[in-house]
Short mmCIF file of all heavy atoms in Angstrom, two decimals:
data_model
loop_
_atom_site.label_atom_id
_atom_site.label_comp_id
_atom_site.label_asym_id
_atom_site.label_seq_id
_atom_site.Cartn_x
_atom_site.Cartn_y
_atom_site.Cartn_z
N PHE U 1 47.08 117.77 6.97
CA PHE U 1 47.06 116.68 5.99
C PHE U 1 45.72 115.97 5.98
O PHE U 1 45.20 115.59 4.93
CB PHE U 1 48.18 115.69 6.32
CG PHE U 1 48.23 114.51 5.40
CD1 PHE U 1 48.76 114.61 4.12
CD2 PHE U 1 47.74 113.27 5.81
CE1 PHE U 1 48.80 113.52 3.27
CE2 PHE U 1 47.77 112.17 4.98
CZ PHE U 1 48.30 112.30 3.70
N LEU U 2 45.11 115.78 7.16
CA LEU U 2 43.86 115.03 7.27
C LEU U 2 42.61 115.91 7.20
O LEU U 2 41.52 115.40 6.96
CB LEU U 2 43.84 114.24 8.58
CG LEU U 2 44.82 113.09 8.71
CD1 LEU U 2 44.74 112.46 10.09
CD2 LEU U 2 44.54 112.03 7.64
N GLN U 3 42.77 117.22 7.42
CA GLN U 3 41.59 118.09 7.50
C GLN U 3 40.75 118.09 6.22
O GLN U 3 39.52 118.00 6.30
CB GLN U 3 42.02 119.52 7.86
CG GLN U 3 40.84 120.41 8.26
CD GLN U 3 40.15 119.92 9.53
OE1 GLN U 3 40.80 119.64 10.54
NE2 GLN U 3 38.82 119.81 9.49
N PRO U 4 41.37 118.16 5.02
CA PRO U 4 40.53 118.11 3.80
C PRO U 4 39.74 116.81 3.68
O PRO U 4 38.60 116.81 3.21
CB PRO U 4 41.54 118.26 2.66
CG PRO U 4 42.72 118.93 3.29
CD PRO U 4 42.78 118.43 4.69
N VAL U 5 40.37 115.71 4.09
CA VAL U 5 39.67 114.41 4.04
C VAL U 5 38.48 114.44 5.00
O VAL U 5 37.37 114.01 4.64
CB VAL U 5 40.63 113.27 4.42
CG1 VAL U 5 39.90 111.93 4.44
CG2 VAL U 5 41.82 113.23 3.46
N TRP U 6 38.72 114.95 6.20
CA TRP U 6 37.67 114.99 7.21
C TRP U 6 36.55 115.96 6.80
O TRP U 6 35.36 115.66 6.99
CB TRP U 6 38.25 115.37 8.56
CG TRP U 6 37.25 115.40 9.69
CD1 TRP U 6 36.95 116.44 10.51
CD2 TRP U 6 36.40 114.32 10.12
NE1 TRP U 6 35.98 116.10 11.42
CE2 TRP U 6 35.63 114.79 11.19
CE3 TRP U 6 36.23 113.01 9.68
CZ2 TRP U 6 34.70 114.00 11.85
CZ3 TRP U 6 35.30 112.21 10.33
CH2 TRP U 6 34.55 112.70 11.41
N ASP U 7 36.93 117.10 6.22
CA ASP U 7 35.92 118.06 5.77
C ASP U 7 35.03 117.44 4.69
O ASP U 7 33.81 117.67 4.67
CB ASP U 7 36.59 119.32 5.21
CG ASP U 7 37.22 120.18 6.31
OD1 ASP U 7 36.82 120.02 7.48
OD2 ASP U 7 38.11 120.99 5.98
N ARG U 8 35.64 116.65 3.82
CA ARG U 8 34.86 115.98 2.76
C ARG U 8 33.90 114.95 3.36
O ARG U 8 32.73 114.86 2.96
CB ARG U 8 35.80 115.31 1.77
CG ARG U 8 35.10 114.68 0.58
CD ARG U 8 34.39 115.73 -0.25
NE ARG U 8 33.71 115.13 -1.39
CZ ARG U 8 34.26 114.99 -2.59
NH1 ARG U 8 35.50 115.41 -2.81
NH2 ARG U 8 33.59 114.45 -3.58
N LEU U 9 34.38 114.21 4.34
CA LEU U 9 33.52 113.21 4.99
C LEU U 9 32.38 113.87 5.76
O LEU U 9 31.28 113.33 5.83
CB LEU U 9 34.35 112.34 5.93
CG LEU U 9 35.33 111.37 5.26
CD1 LEU U 9 36.21 110.69 6.30
CD2 LEU U 9 34.58 110.31 4.46
N ARG U 10 32.65 115.03 6.31
CA ARG U 10 31.62 115.72 7.09
C ARG U 10 30.48 116.25 6.22
O ARG U 10 29.40 116.56 6.75
CB ARG U 10 32.23 116.86 7.90
CG ARG U 10 33.04 116.38 9.10
CD ARG U 10 33.58 117.55 9.94
NE ARG U 10 32.50 118.28 10.56
CZ ARG U 10 32.19 119.56 10.29
NH1 ARG U 10 32.89 120.22 9.37
NH2 ARG U 10 31.21 120.16 10.91
N THR U 11 30.69 116.35 4.93
CA THR U 11 29.59 116.74 4.04
C THR U 11 28.52 115.65 3.99
O THR U 11 27.40 115.91 3.56
CB THR U 11 30.10 117.03 2.61
OG1 THR U 11 30.66 115.83 2.05
CG2 THR U 11 31.15 118.12 2.62
N TRP U 12 28.90 114.44 4.42
CA TRP U 12 27.97 113.31 4.50
C TRP U 12 27.50 113.09 5.95
O TRP U 12 27.07 112.01 6.31
CB TRP U 12 28.62 112.03 4.00
CG TRP U 12 28.94 112.05 2.54
CD1 TRP U 12 29.99 112.67 1.93
CD2 TRP U 12 28.18 111.45 1.50
NE1 TRP U 12 29.95 112.48 0.57
CE2 TRP U 12 28.84 111.73 0.27
CE3 TRP U 12 27.01 110.68 1.46
CZ2 TRP U 12 28.36 111.29 -0.95
CZ3 TRP U 12 26.54 110.24 0.23
CH2 TRP U 12 27.21 110.54 -0.96
N GLU U 13 27.58 114.14 6.76
CA GLU U 13 27.32 113.99 8.20
C GLU U 13 25.92 113.44 8.49
O GLU U 13 25.74 112.63 9.39
CB GLU U 13 27.52 115.33 8.92
CG GLU U 13 27.32 115.24 10.43
CD GLU U 13 27.77 116.49 11.16
OE1 GLU U 13 28.16 117.48 10.49
OE2 GLU U 13 27.75 116.48 12.40
N ALA U 14 24.94 113.90 7.71
CA ALA U 14 23.57 113.43 7.97
C ALA U 14 23.47 111.92 7.84
O ALA U 14 22.84 111.24 8.66
CB ALA U 14 22.60 114.11 7.01
N PHE U 15 24.13 111.37 6.79
CA PHE U 15 24.11 109.92 6.62
C PHE U 15 25.00 109.23 7.65
O PHE U 15 24.65 108.18 8.20
CB PHE U 15 24.57 109.57 5.21
CG PHE U 15 24.66 108.08 4.94
CD1 PHE U 15 23.55 107.26 5.13
CD2 PHE U 15 25.84 107.51 4.54
CE1 PHE U 15 23.61 105.90 4.90
CE2 PHE U 15 25.93 106.14 4.31
CZ PHE U 15 24.81 105.33 4.49
N ALA U 16 26.17 109.84 7.93
CA ALA U 16 27.10 109.25 8.89
C ALA U 16 26.50 109.19 10.29
O ALA U 16 26.86 108.32 11.09
CB ALA U 16 28.41 110.04 8.91
N GLN U 17 25.60 110.11 10.59
CA GLN U 17 24.95 110.13 11.90
C GLN U 17 23.69 109.27 11.95
O GLN U 17 23.09 109.10 13.01
CB GLN U 17 24.59 111.57 12.28
CG GLN U 17 25.79 112.47 12.51
CD GLN U 17 26.52 112.13 13.80
OE1 GLN U 17 27.37 111.24 13.83
NE2 GLN U 17 26.20 112.82 14.88
N SER U 18 23.29 108.73 10.81
CA SER U 18 22.07 107.92 10.76
C SER U 18 22.35 106.53 11.32
O SER U 18 23.50 106.07 11.34
CB SER U 18 21.56 107.80 9.33
OG SER U 18 22.32 106.84 8.61
N PRO U 19 21.33 105.81 11.78
CA PRO U 19 21.53 104.47 12.32
C PRO U 19 21.89 103.44 11.25
O PRO U 19 22.30 102.33 11.57
CB PRO U 19 20.18 104.14 12.95
CG PRO U 19 19.19 104.96 12.19
CD PRO U 19 19.91 106.24 11.86
N PHE U 20 21.76 103.82 9.97
CA PHE U 20 22.04 102.87 8.89
C PHE U 20 23.52 102.88 8.48
O PHE U 20 23.99 101.93 7.87
CB PHE U 20 21.17 103.18 7.68
CG PHE U 20 19.70 103.21 7.99
CD1 PHE U 20 19.03 104.42 8.11
CD2 PHE U 20 19.00 102.03 8.20
CE1 PHE U 20 17.68 104.45 8.42
CE2 PHE U 20 17.65 102.05 8.50
CZ PHE U 20 16.98 103.26 8.61
N PHE U 21 24.24 103.95 8.80
CA PHE U 21 25.61 104.08 8.32
C PHE U 21 26.53 102.96 8.80
O PHE U 21 27.26 102.38 7.98
CB PHE U 21 26.20 105.43 8.74
CG PHE U 21 27.64 105.59 8.36
CD1 PHE U 21 28.01 105.81 7.03
CD2 PHE U 21 28.64 105.49 9.32
CE1 PHE U 21 29.34 105.94 6.68
CE2 PHE U 21 29.97 105.60 8.97
CZ PHE U 21 30.32 105.84 7.64
N PRO U 22 26.56 102.59 10.10
CA PRO U 22 27.48 101.53 10.53
C PRO U 22 27.25 100.21 9.79
O PRO U 22 28.21 99.52 9.44
CB PRO U 22 27.21 101.39 12.03
CG PRO U 22 26.67 102.72 12.43
CD PRO U 22 25.86 103.18 11.26
N THR U 23 25.98 99.88 9.56
CA THR U 23 25.67 98.62 8.87
C THR U 23 26.11 98.67 7.41
O THR U 23 26.76 97.75 6.91
CB THR U 23 24.16 98.33 8.95
OG1 THR U 23 23.76 98.28 10.33
CG2 THR U 23 23.83 97.00 8.30
N VAL U 24 25.77 99.75 6.72
CA VAL U 24 26.14 99.90 5.31
C VAL U 24 27.66 99.96 5.17
O VAL U 24 28.25 99.33 4.28
CB VAL U 24 25.49 101.17 4.71
CG1 VAL U 24 26.00 101.42 3.30
CG2 VAL U 24 23.97 101.04 4.72
N PHE U 25 28.30 100.71 6.04
CA PHE U 25 29.77 100.85 6.01
C PHE U 25 30.44 99.50 6.21
O PHE U 25 31.34 99.11 5.45
CB PHE U 25 30.20 101.83 7.11
CG PHE U 25 31.68 101.99 7.25
CD1 PHE U 25 32.39 102.80 6.38
CD2 PHE U 25 32.36 101.33 8.26
CE1 PHE U 25 33.77 102.96 6.51
CE2 PHE U 25 33.73 101.48 8.39
CZ PHE U 25 34.44 102.29 7.52
N SER U 26 30.00 98.76 7.22
CA SER U 26 30.61 97.47 7.53
C SER U 26 30.45 96.47 6.40
O SER U 26 31.42 95.81 5.98
CB SER U 26 30.01 96.91 8.83
OG SER U 26 30.54 95.64 9.13
N ILE U 27 29.22 96.35 5.87
CA ILE U 27 28.97 95.39 4.79
C ILE U 27 29.73 95.78 3.53
O ILE U 27 30.33 94.93 2.85
CB ILE U 27 27.46 95.29 4.49
CG1 ILE U 27 26.73 94.60 5.65
CG2 ILE U 27 27.21 94.52 3.21
CD1 ILE U 27 25.24 94.50 5.47
N THR U 28 29.72 97.07 3.21
CA THR U 28 30.37 97.54 1.99
C THR U 28 31.87 97.29 2.03
O THR U 28 32.47 96.80 1.06
CB THR U 28 30.09 99.04 1.76
OG1 THR U 28 28.68 99.25 1.70
CG2 THR U 28 30.74 99.52 0.48
N VAL U 29 32.50 97.64 3.14
CA VAL U 29 33.95 97.46 3.28
C VAL U 29 34.29 95.97 3.25
O VAL U 29 35.22 95.54 2.55
CB VAL U 29 34.47 98.11 4.58
CG1 VAL U 29 35.94 97.75 4.81
CG2 VAL U 29 34.32 99.62 4.51
N TYR U 30 33.52 95.17 3.98
CA TYR U 30 33.80 93.73 4.05
C TYR U 30 33.66 93.06 2.68
O TYR U 30 34.58 92.37 2.23
CB TYR U 30 32.85 93.08 5.05
CG TYR U 30 32.96 91.58 5.12
CD1 TYR U 30 34.12 90.97 5.58
CD2 TYR U 30 31.90 90.77 4.72
CE1 TYR U 30 34.23 89.59 5.65
CE2 TYR U 30 31.99 89.39 4.78
CZ TYR U 30 33.16 88.81 5.25
OH TYR U 30 33.27 87.44 5.30
#
């Protein structure tokens, strides 16, 4: 059930692994 979601997110792995992702993610969600 979760694998397609995770596979889609992993296509953004380069950005997700960057030091900017936690900050952008946190501000955007908030």
Side-chain angles (χ1 to χ4, degrees):
F1 178 77
L2 292 176
Q3 192 64 49
V5 177
W6 182 237
D7 288 341
R8 184 64 180 268
L9 290 173
R10 286 183 66 245
T11 63
W12 293 79
E13 183 169 5
F15 177 56
Q17 294 289 85
S18 78
F20 305 103
F21 176 74
T23 303
V24 173
F25 176 80
S26 178
I27 290 178
T28 302
V29 172
Y30 175 66

